[in-house]
Amino acid sequence: MNVTILADKEHKQGKTMKKFTIIIATLVVAVVCLAGTSKARAEGCEALSAKEKKIIPIAAFTASGDMQKLETALSEGLDSGLTVNEIKEILVHAYAYAGFPRALNGINTFMAVMDKRKEQGIKDNIGKQATAMAAEFDKTAYGHKTRNALVGRDVSKRTSGYPVFTPIIDQFLVEHLFADIFYRDVLSHQQRELATISILAAMTGTEPQLKAHLRVSMNAGLGKTQLEDYISVLRQDVSVESAEKATAVLNDLLGISPPENQAKSVKVIKKEQPTKASADYFTGHVTVESRFSAEIPESYRGGIVNFESGARTAWHTHPFGQTLIVTSGRGLVQSEGEAVQEILPGDVVWIPADERHWHGAAPDSPMSHVAISAPRNGLTVQWLEHVNDEQYGY
């Protein structure tokens, strides 16, 4: 998608023109996509490839710090055609947007995955190495050129904002991020932006940066179909929260108000296979299914949670509280400092905002409940330490 000319105009004509030009650019791409021509392929209208889709959870789980899910995503990425060097490059790229500690954790996890696959006799494709940068290479010139192309206008001589307040960080961005890193041709610029928007969707408090990079992603060539794939993969493989965040930010970028984006008739979400809950947040065997969310962004979200006997959550809180509706079995719930309470089918439990609590199945019975909560800044829960056997004793 080429919106460079439109971007020059929007820079001059303000916020209203910005939304208008992005909408026009998106509509032009949609028309080209429908044409099904070779130009449509050049405009990025085709769906993301299988291996490009695997970039999304790898980048997202690296950023969120969920190493257990990252381990699965890394193996699936290799199985889907990503080379070892491409995955290394995703993790290197993550260092610039999620920080070195998260990137290093991701690299160490990848090393463990590679060792395990080697023991299993799996021989993965190493892939090409990055082209070496010449000793006399002008990183400043290349960095400015790359950033200007991605942003869609010349931003090399800013007279306000962070580049003026802290010029050294702008120098780092130009010479290190947009030269040292973006010069590395193991990933295309489009693939790097796909990794970036996946990282930003998985982190909290990054809506402004996500909005900016969604715009950059379109400049880099991600079209309507590919962005729809991106959000779909976030929802299915990462989290409903990250998908809702990306949807809301993209709609804001395109000037689409929430009512226009809502379903106009009854919507049925088909039941999917239950997924195992993370051992980081639960004790025992727990699965989650039938995840749902309101059509209005930043409204309620939920799902059905199934606990086997003795299984329970870790201690946790919710920013706006939580409602539980017990559907089967016998369960337990406890607020910190209060007695454990028994919950049975048909019982409705309300947990106040920011209340430390846990819930789960009784020792001798499984339990299922519907859990409903609302997010603050994209997050519906803050997980704390596990409930030990003594605390669970009933």
Side-chain angles (χ1 to χ4, degrees):
M1 181 186 297
N2 185 352
V3 296
T4 303
I5 296 174
L6 294 175
D8 288 337
K9 292 181 180 178
E10 69 182 45
H11 179 57
K12 297 175 182 177
Q13 298 179 27
K15 186 175 180 180
T16 301
M17 188 62 182
K18 181 183 293 185
K19 287 185 177 181
F20 176 73
T21 52
I22 292 172
I23 292 169
I24 292 298
T26 304
L27 291 174
V28 168
V29 171
V31 172
V32 173
C33 287
L34 289 172
T37 62
S38 59
K39 183 179 180 182
R41 289 188 290 275
E43 292 285 353
C45 301
E46 291 186 342
L48 293 174
S49 68
K51 77 172 191 176
E52 285 172 335
K53 289 179 180 180
K54 295 304 178 182
I55 292 174
I56 297 168
I58 291 173
F61 291 135
T62 300
S64 68
D66 193 330
M67 296 300 104
Q68 183 178 28
K69 291 182 179 178
L70 176 60
E71 183 176 340
T72 300
L74 290 166
S75 292
E76 291 179 351
L78 290 167
D79 292 338
S80 296
L82 282 171
T83 68
V84 172
N85 284 337
E86 284 172 334
I87 292 179
K88 286 182 181 179
E89 206 65 32
I90 297 168
L91 300 173
V92 169
H93 188 87
Y95 130 78
Y97 288 96
F100 182 74
R102 293 296 171 93
L104 182 59
N105 289 343
I107 290 168
N108 287 334
T109 300
F110 190 34
M111 291 168 62
V113 167
M114 291 299 298
D115 288 343
K116 186 182 295 185
R117 290 170 71 89
K118 186 177 180 180
E119 290 174 1
Q120 295 170 346
I122 301 173
K123 188 174 182 180
D124 293 302
N125 181 9
I126 301 300
K128 74 171 186 176
Q129 296 281 350
T131 301
M133 184 181 288
E136 67 277 7
F137 190 81
D138 189 341
K139 291 195 283 188
T140 300
Y142 181 87
H144 278 305
K145 181 180 178 181
T146 300
R147 184 170 66 171
N148 290 344
L150 290 168
V151 172
R153 63 178 187 272
D154 189 347
V155 293
S156 58
K157 296 178 181 179
R158 297 278 293 274
T159 58
S160 63
Y162 75 85
V164 176
F165 184 71
T166 316
I168 188 62
I169 197 170
D170 198 53
Q171 181 181 334
F172 290 159
L173 284 171
V174 170
E175 296 181 1
H176 182 47
L177 174 59
F178 290 107
D180 284 329
I181 294 179
F182 269 78
Y183 182 83
R184 296 175 60 81
D185 52 1
V186 176
L187 296 177
S188 68
H189 289 183
Q190 186 181 110
Q191 290 170 331
R192 289 188 180 279
E193 284 306 314
L194 182 61
T196 301
I197 58 178
S198 302
I199 289 167
L200 295 172
M203 298 171 69
T204 60
T206 54
E207 284 80 1
Q209 291 77 21
L210 178 57
K211 184 176 181 179
H213 278 279
L214 281 167
R215 184 186 294 111
V216 168
S217 296
M218 290 189 283
N219 288 351
L222 288 177
K224 178 178 179 290
T225 302
Q226 292 163 323
L227 287 175
E228 288 174 349
D229 283 347
Y230 154 71
I231 290 175
S232 177
V233 172
L234 283 178
R235 186 179 303 278
Q236 181 175 334
D237 296 342
V238 180
S239 70
V240 173
E241 288 82 2
S242 62
E244 293 297 329
K245 174 181 175 179
T247 300
V249 172
L250 182 59
N251 286 342
D252 182 50
L253 175 64
L254 298 177
I256 301 173
S257 60
E260 294 180 51
N261 191 52
Q262 292 173 31
K264 298 296 190 296
S265 59
V266 172
K267 180 178 180 180
V268 177
I269 302 172
K270 293 297 185 181
K271 180 179 178 181
E272 298 179 350
Q273 287 295 318
T275 58
K276 186 177 180 181
S278 171
D280 292 338
Y281 312 131
F282 295 84
T283 298
H285 186 77
V286 181
T287 60
V288 184
E289 60 182 310
S290 300
R291 290 181 173 89
F292 58 86
S293 62
E295 292 296 314
I296 301 172
E298 295 300 299
S299 187
Y300 65 83
R301 301 169 187 170
I304 299 174
V305 189
N306 308 301
F307 299 82
E308 288 192 359
S309 302
R312 66 267 191 184
T313 69
W315 290 99
H316 61 288
T317 64
H318 301 279
F320 296 112
Q322 184 183 47
T323 298
L324 305 176
I325 304 171
V326 183
T327 58
S328 66
R330 187 167 68 91
L332 307 172
V333 63
Q334 181 185 28
S335 284
E336 187 176 43
E338 299 182 1
V340 174
Q341 298 186 62
E342 182 182 69
I343 50 178
L344 299 170
D347 288 350
V348 178
V349 182
W350 164 245
I351 295 104
D354 298 319
E355 177 78 6
R356 279 175 57 97
H357 70 286
W358 65 268
H359 40 95
D364 57 354
S365 172
M367 187 271 292
S368 295
H369 64 50
V370 178
I372 306 169
S373 54
R376 175 190 290 148
N377 295 327
L379 290 179
T380 59
V381 60
Q382 179 180 3
W383 291 105
L384 305 167
E385 70 274 13
H386 280 274
V387 175
N388 60 42
D389 290 342
E390 183 179 354
Q391 291 169 325
Y392 176 70
Y394 176 73

